[in-house]
Amino acid sequence: MARVYPQAQPHQLAQASPSSPTSSTTLQREVFTIWMKSLVLNGNGCAVYDSGGRLAYRVDNYGCRRGEEAFLMDSGGRVLFRIRRTKNLLMLGGWEGYKYSASQQEEPAPSFRAKKKQPKIFSGDEACQVTVVNADGRCYRIEGLVCKPAYKITDVVGEVVAEVKRKQTASGVILGEDVLTLVAEPNSDLSLVMALVVLCGMMGHSM
């Protein structure tokens, strides 16, 4: 299926869409529900809902090959991040994230770069680690199980910034692997956290 705005570039999408009330930084712990289902027919992505059940973010790759490119948008469809697999041979096996603002006039420089470190073969450890360095030099790590929807995002000193796991109902029933809970800790950059969640989905080829 064609893109919603088939002729537009990401910075043009940002100008064409209404602003969102979603805050970029949370002052308290925030809980979101991630439904691993694109809102665009034949797309690969997800929808993110806040604790009140309102759409907070949406993600889609608009028919691109899974793991190659995806767009993080606010509830109004404004592009916040474009995440893509890098074509740079020096970053082979890496990804880059580009952050957009409502006044963006041209393609920005990468806001973060990420590299996945595979677990050692026959080590008995399924955990993989992703190192993310953003434009201001801050470093984040994503640690979890290979091909499992359970991981943590930590900062350079090891403090947990956000955690993703399968959603559990109030009665204790664990839902399917396509329904997740995202917990973002206070003072987290929500758009960056969501971009890293998208990155994990791309690495796992779920979007």
Side-chain angles (χ1 to χ4, degrees):
M1 182 176 177
R3 295 187 181 187
V4 177
Y5 302 97
Q7 303 302 322
Q9 296 299 316
H11 65 275
Q12 294 172 318
L13 300 186
Q15 292 176 325
S17 305
S19 59
S20 168
T22 305
S23 172
S24 60
T25 303
T26 176
L27 300 179
Q28 58 186 8
R29 175 177 287 189
E30 299 277 358
V31 180
F32 298 91
T33 296
I34 304 174
W35 182 35
M36 299 299 294
K37 178 71 174 179
S38 170
L39 298 182
V40 176
L41 184 64
N42 296 327
N44 293 305
C46 66
V48 183
Y49 300 89
D50 64 19
S51 56
R54 297 176 293 270
L55 180 66
Y57 300 96
R58 50 179 290 248
V59 178
D60 208 279
N61 71 353
Y62 293 107
C64 292
R65 184 179 176 183
R66 292 190 186 208
E68 293 297 320
E69 181 178 61
F71 295 90
L72 168 66
M73 295 164 276
D74 65 13
S75 59
R78 180 173 70 87
V79 175
L80 303 176
F81 271 93
R82 172 191 176 206
I83 300 97
R84 69 176 182 86
R85 185 187 290 272
T86 181
K87 306 299 182 182
N88 187 336
L89 292 178
L90 295 177
M91 278 286 290
L92 190 63
W95 285 260
E96 293 176 332
Y98 300 81
K99 186 175 184 177
Y100 291 86
S101 67
S103 60
Q104 201 77 47
Q105 297 296 319
E106 58 185 21
E107 181 83 349
S111 297
F112 68 80
R113 289 186 169 91
K115 184 78 172 179
K116 183 177 180 179
K117 180 181 179 182
Q118 296 286 0
K120 294 181 179 179
I121 301 176
F122 306 125
S123 67
D125 184 8
E126 294 182 307
C128 68
Q129 185 179 96
V130 180
T131 300
V132 180
V133 180
N134 66 6
D136 63 8
R138 296 188 64 183
C139 183
Y140 298 87
R141 296 187 187 278
I142 305 170
E143 298 184 5
L145 299 179
V146 176
C147 298
K148 295 290 184 181
Y151 52 87
K152 294 180 180 180
I153 301 172
T154 61
D155 61 19
V156 68
V157 297
E159 293 290 332
V160 175
V161 175
E163 183 174 5
V164 173
K165 56 186 176 182
R166 288 173 61 179
K167 187 174 180 65
Q168 183 172 320
T169 67
S171 60
V173 177
I174 299 177
L175 303 182
E177 292 191 358
D178 61 342
V179 184
L180 311 175
T181 293
L182 164 66
V183 179
E185 297 298 332
N187 302 314
S188 300
D189 182 336
L190 290 178
S191 62
L192 177 60
V193 166
M194 276 308 311
L196 298 185
V197 170
V198 174
L199 171 66
C200 288
M202 294 174 68
M203 288 181 170
H205 298 285
S206 60
M207 64 178 74

